[in-house]
């Protein structure tokens, strides 16, 4: 049975294995010593502990992160930040939070990820960097396994890059989210207000929204008319022609 259990765990994608923590916890008192030893080693690998209180905390945090990933609720980004910032979080739990961060394109958490690139643990640095490059566009090279002086210099380059490019990338991502929210009942009013605050920067994303349909398209058209003072039909091509002409004039 132990051999079958080992094979079953290996058959799971590595990122999903921590979901077995409750079952593994139940084996800590198993009368078969080899099974007990395997369960303990597995718990240390996935949860970072075999102590009941810490295992309970791990499961609670894992579930919070999972629910955030399913709901895509940006109000719960602090739950992800807490995991990413925690130097005691197990690598599987950290990667769980980073996967959700990437799925949500939560650039608000990039500063927290960058802070972990200074960790003394090369595994932690490596997993953070792998996921950071999935959300940040065009960062300089960073070798998580490089020597201290070289790695420090590379990290300074990355930090400098994010200070320069980060605000623009974050704003662009937030605009895209708000444009999508125009199509969701209950979210559209807040999205309209936020896009109005962004002003002219939101125009290209609103033009793209005209390729859609329904209420989201109508609201995008209304906002475009308000922001640009132009009375064009709700056709993306017409607005793109106008935008191209405006940019040509601005370059002269």
């Amino acid at each position: 049975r132990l051999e079958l259990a080992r094979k079953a765990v290996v058959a799971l994608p590595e990122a999903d294995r921590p979901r077995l923590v409750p079952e593994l916890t139940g084996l800590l008192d198993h009368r078969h010593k080899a099974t007990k030893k395997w369960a303990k080693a597995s718990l240390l690998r996935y949860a970072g502990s075999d102590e009941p209180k810490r295992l309970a905390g791990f499961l609670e945090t894992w579930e919070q992160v999972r629910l955030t990933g399913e709901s895509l609720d940006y109000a719960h980004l602090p739950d992800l930040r807490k995991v990413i910032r925690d130097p005691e979080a197990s690598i599987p739990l950290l990667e769980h939070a980073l996967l959700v961060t990437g799925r949500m394109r939560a650039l608000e958490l990039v500063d927290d990820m960058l802070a972990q690139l200074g960790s003394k643990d090369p595994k932690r640095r490596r997993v953070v960097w792998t996921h950071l490059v999935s959300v940040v566009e065009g960062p300089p090279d960073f070798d998580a396994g490089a020597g201290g002086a070289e790695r420090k210099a590379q990290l300074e380059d990355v930090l400098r890059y994010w200070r320069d490019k980060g605000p623009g990338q974050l704003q662009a991502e937030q605009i895209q989210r708000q444009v999508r929210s125009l199509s969701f009942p209950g979210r559209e009013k807040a999205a309209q207000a936020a896009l109005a605050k962004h002003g002219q920067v939101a125009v290209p994303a609103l033009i793209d929204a005209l390729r859609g349909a329904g209420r989201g398209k109508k609201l995008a058209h209304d906002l475009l008319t308000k922001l640009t003072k132009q009375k064009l039909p709700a056709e993306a091509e017409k607005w793109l022609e106008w935008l191209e002409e405006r940019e040509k004039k601005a370059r002269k």
Side-chain angles (χ1 to χ4, degrees):
R1 288 182 180 178
L2 175 57
E3 189 59 30
L4 285 173
R6 284 175 171 157
K7 289 180 179 179
V9 170
V10 171
L12 277 176
E14 190 169 355
D16 290 335
R17 293 174 193 173
R19 294 171 61 186
L20 297 176
V21 164
E23 289 77 12
L24 290 164
T25 301
L27 298 177
L28 287 175
D29 295 324
H30 202 281
R31 61 186 179 182
H32 185 225
K33 289 184 179 180
T35 297
K36 183 176 179 179
K37 182 179 179 181
W38 172 72
K40 182 173 183 177
S42 298
L43 287 169
L44 290 172
R45 185 181 310 117
Y46 303 138
S49 177
D50 62 347
E51 297 176 4
K53 287 185 179 180
R54 292 193 64 182
L55 288 172
F58 171 89
L59 289 171
E60 181 180 356
T61 303
W62 181 275
E63 185 66 6
Q64 286 174 342
V65 172
R66 185 187 68 80
L67 291 174
T68 299
E70 287 189 359
S71 65
L72 301 180
D73 187 347
Y74 291 88
H76 290 289
L77 290 186
D79 293 334
L80 300 181
R81 175 174 286 114
K82 184 177 179 181
V83 176
I84 294 170
R85 281 278 187 174
D86 183 4
E88 300 299 320
S90 69
I91 296 297
L93 179 58
L94 172 62
E95 185 153 30
H96 183 42
L98 292 170
L99 282 167
V100 172
T101 298
R103 190 181 309 150
M104 297 175 72
R105 285 196 54 76
L107 273 74
E108 294 89 339
L109 302 181
V110 168
D111 285 334
D112 305 284
M113 297 167 74
L114 289 171
Q116 295 309 305
L117 292 182
S119 170
K120 294 180 180 180
D121 183 354
K123 290 183 180 178
R124 190 169 297 273
R125 295 195 301 266
R126 192 170 292 113
V127 72
V128 169
W129 178 250
T130 297
H131 290 276
L132 188 144
V133 294
S134 73
V135 293
V136 173
E137 296 179 10
D141 290 336
F142 177 80
D143 183 355
E150 180 183 358
R151 193 174 69 250
K152 182 180 179 181
Q154 290 177 341
L155 179 54
E156 287 175 355
D157 288 342
V158 175
L159 291 171
R160 192 179 303 110
Y161 174 87
W162 184 246
R163 284 195 298 270
D164 181 38
K165 303 294 185 182
Q169 291 190 25
L170 176 58
Q171 184 182 40
E173 176 58 31
Q174 290 175 336
I175 287 172
Q176 290 294 336
R177 288 179 208 162
Q178 290 149 2
V179 168
R180 290 193 295 270
S181 292
L182 292 175
S183 299
F184 288 87
R187 301 186 195 173
E188 69 270 32
K189 288 185 179 179
Q192 283 177 292
L195 288 164
K197 286 184 179 179
H198 285 298
Q200 296 294 314
V201 182
V203 166
L206 287 167
I207 292 175
D208 285 342
L210 297 180
R211 302 184 190 281
R215 183 160 174 75
K217 178 178 180 178
K218 181 182 182 306
L219 293 177
H221 184 241
D222 290 346
L223 268 171
L224 277 170
T225 302
K226 181 178 179 181
L227 290 172
T228 65
K229 311 301 182 185
Q230 300 297 311
K231 295 183 179 180
L232 297 173
E235 299 173 14
E237 288 72 20
K238 296 289 185 182
W239 282 94
L240 286 171
E241 289 174 6
W242 167 81
L243 182 61
E244 184 177 357
E245 187 63 28
R246 187 180 74 167
E247 290 176 347
K248 281 182 180 178
K249 290 179 180 178
R251 288 194 293 267
K252 290 181 179 178

